Amino acid sequence: MPKGKEKARLAPSDSGEHRKSMSFKEYRKALLPLHVELVKLQEWVVQSGAKICIVFEGRDGAGKGGTIKALTERVSPRVFRVVALPAPTDREKTQMYVQRYLPHLPAAGEVTIFDRSWYNRAGVERVMGFCTEEQVESFLRAVPLVEQAIIHSGVLLFKYWLEVSQEEQTRRLEARIHDGRKLWKLSDMDLKSYSRWYDYSRARDAMFRATDTAMAPWHVVNSDDKQRARLNVISDLLNRIPYESMPRKEPVLPKRQKPEGYVEPDYPYKYVPEKF
């Protein structure tokens, strides 16, 4: 086992006791060794040709975006690709439901992260009436077989559901209303969804019953504390992948070339104003 991995993979206490919120300094300190391990994971994925697919689902405001950002903050976007598909086109609406997601599955040496996925059909589409109950039932019967085929093709598939309480969801959505940086996160669909908490609960329960399989289980994350949720997800993911540190030559900066007569030009560069 690589040096330092034992510390990075320590599971958090699951005693259920209330803990005070982490300070930003504490959070960043805990995140640092996990980021180091993610870079090791990236090297292993590239050199071994592994294929990893991570699905993030959950209630609105549960923290999927922040978790994905923490997960990908220090790795290459060419290896860790985030997929967040828009609403389907008219053509895509006529396809097999999961078809538009399949081209985004990872090839060798890639990690694909779905910010919402084919499970839209079992969640928002079902609750908001964008599909029929027959279509939902057909999807729930088919998706375990699709995921079985994905796994048999050599993909390591991980599914995370981020769960948030009613009170915390309300706090977060209200914060979006009053924070200009977060207004884009609050759509008309989010507002409509907010009032249908128990419809979403029923849809989630039905989805779990049909798709929480031994081959592709759901891993549920309590995300009322966003910082701890991010740490828990990354730690759990690292613990589930059999990666190892790959040999790598220590880089050494070469000597810079000599100027050989080069002189900086007297050019009127248009500098950005230094306001800060």
Side-chain angles (χ1 to χ4, degrees):
M1 183 176 290
K3 183 179 180 181
K5 185 170 289 187
E6 295 90 342
K7 182 177 181 180
R9 291 187 176 192
L10 287 176
S13 170
D14 53 6
S15 63
E17 295 180 0
H18 175 74
R19 291 175 291 174
K20 68 176 183 179
S21 298
M22 301 178 76
S23 68
F24 182 74
K25 184 177 180 180
E26 290 172 330
Y27 166 66
R28 296 304 299 186
K29 183 178 180 180
L31 188 59
L32 191 150
L34 297 177
H35 278 163
V36 171
E37 291 301 320
L38 285 170
V39 172
K40 293 180 184 178
L41 170 63
Q42 176 176 262
E43 291 293 322
W44 176 79
V45 167
V46 171
Q47 294 189 41
S48 69
K51 299 180 288 186
I52 298 176
C53 178
I54 310 168
V55 170
F56 282 103
E57 293 287 347
R59 295 184 185 274
D60 293 328
K64 295 179 292 296
T67 300
I68 293 171
K69 184 176 180 180
L71 178 61
T72 58
E73 185 178 344
R74 294 295 180 176
V75 291
S76 170
R78 291 186 293 274
V79 178
F80 282 72
R81 299 183 301 110
V82 179
V83 178
L85 297 185
T89 64
D90 289 340
R91 179 178 182 275
E92 288 171 335
K93 290 177 181 178
T94 68
Q95 296 176 341
M96 179 178 69
Y97 184 75
V98 299
Q99 186 173 338
R100 73 187 189 118
Y101 295 96
L102 298 181
H104 299 280
L105 290 174
E110 295 179 347
V111 179
T112 298
I113 301 170
F114 283 98
D115 184 355
R116 294 202 181 277
S117 66
W118 46 90
Y119 282 103
N120 272 344
R121 170 132 296 179
V124 63
E125 291 192 11
R126 182 177 206 172
V127 172
M128 303 307 295
F130 296 152
C131 60
T132 66
E133 281 299 305
E134 291 75 17
Q135 288 174 319
V136 174
E137 295 302 326
S138 176
F139 167 80
L140 292 177
R141 287 193 300 270
V143 74
L145 299 175
V146 173
E147 292 179 350
Q148 184 179 75
I150 291 172
I151 293 168
H152 283 168
S153 75
V155 174
L156 299 177
L157 175 63
F158 303 98
K159 303 186 302 190
Y160 288 97
W161 174 273
L162 275 61
E163 185 64 35
V164 66
S165 66
Q166 292 189 54
E167 296 76 17
E168 181 62 16
Q169 184 191 56
T170 297
R171 190 192 68 79
R172 292 178 187 177
L173 295 183
E174 286 181 341
R176 292 178 183 181
I177 296 174
H178 304 293
D179 189 335
R181 301 168 299 172
K182 300 178 180 179
L183 285 175
W184 64 274
K185 291 185 175 183
L186 193 62
S187 66
D188 289 341
M189 187 63 60
D190 295 328
L191 296 175
K192 293 177 182 177
S193 299
Y194 174 78
S195 65
R196 302 186 181 184
W197 175 273
Y198 293 106
D199 286 343
Y200 271 98
S201 294
R202 295 183 184 94
R204 176 203 60 198
D205 296 346
M207 181 188 76
F208 274 28
R209 284 193 297 269
T211 66
D212 184 21
T213 64
M215 181 172 286
W218 280 102
H219 306 294
V220 180
V221 184
N222 179 354
S223 66
D224 272 13
D225 186 322
K226 290 191 291 186
Q227 293 179 330
R228 284 195 169 91
R230 295 166 189 170
L231 298 172
N232 290 336
V233 167
I234 297 173
S235 176
D236 183 81
L237 180 67
L238 290 169
N239 197 49
R240 294 182 186 279
I241 301 175
Y243 73 100
E244 57 187 28
S245 289
M246 306 301 288
R248 185 177 186 182
K249 185 179 179 181
E250 187 73 21
V252 178
L253 290 175
K255 291 183 180 180
R256 280 207 174 105
Q257 65 181 166
K258 295 181 180 180
E260 298 180 352
Y262 176 79
V263 178
E264 290 286 347
D266 184 17
Y267 185 81
Y269 294 110
K270 300 173 181 64
Y271 287 103
V272 172
E274 296 184 0
K275 297 182 178 180
F276 302 95

